[in-house]
Amino acid sequence: MQTEFIAAKQLKLKYAIYGNFYQRKITNELTVSGRNILEIIAHDIVPIMDKDITSLIPDAIMVMMNPGSSQPLESQKNTAPLDKLAIIEQNLVKTKPDTTQYQ
């Protein structure tokens, strides 16, 4: 069985990408950035749900082991010191996906 290839240009017309980005202050001089959530949502759902997509049940869940190169398209102000109980607030924003998301 052969999988049909769909170009990124076509996928962008059908799907929107949202991510949750954060920063953790390691020391006064060092802050690291991360992303703990990346949601791929069909455009026909986004106008109805807008950013309230956290209540949707996913069709699939992928565990990605590297940080990826996706970037937020909106400003983020989610910085906190790193500690054992660091809570990452969820604030999904429009995101520029990296090439892995197209796979």
Side-chain angles (χ1 to χ4, degrees):
M1 182 163 131
Q2 193 171 19
T3 302
E4 177 189 357
F5 175 79
I6 303 171
K9 184 177 180 179
Q10 292 175 287
L11 292 171
K12 288 178 184 179
L13 296 174
K14 188 170 181 178
Y15 298 100
I17 311 296
Y18 289 85
N20 191 62
F21 297 85
Y22 60 92
Q23 294 184 326
R24 287 294 177 251
K25 192 171 195 166
I26 307 300
T27 67
N28 286 337
E29 297 80 30
L30 178 62
T31 301
V32 294
S33 298
R35 179 198 76 221
N36 64 338
I37 297 173
L38 189 79
E39 301 278 349
I40 303 170
I41 308 290
H43 280 302
D44 59 349
I45 294 173
V46 174
I48 298 166
M49 302 302 286
D50 194 36
K51 288 173 67 173
D52 186 27
I53 59 177
T54 57
S55 62
L56 294 174
I57 297 172
D59 292 326
I61 296 174
M62 309 297 172
V63 177
M64 301 176 73
M65 302 303 291
N66 64 24
S69 62
S70 60
Q71 297 292 321
L73 295 175
E74 302 174 26
S75 64
Q76 292 282 257
K77 303 216 181 326
N78 194 355
T79 303
L82 182 66
D83 63 26
K84 290 181 182 179
L85 302 174
I87 296 173
I88 300 171
E89 292 182 36
Q90 187 166 328
N91 180 31
L92 294 172
V93 297
K94 288 183 180 179
T95 300
K96 173 188 158 268
D98 65 24
T99 56
T100 301
Q101 276 82 58
Y102 293 117
Q103 296 177 23

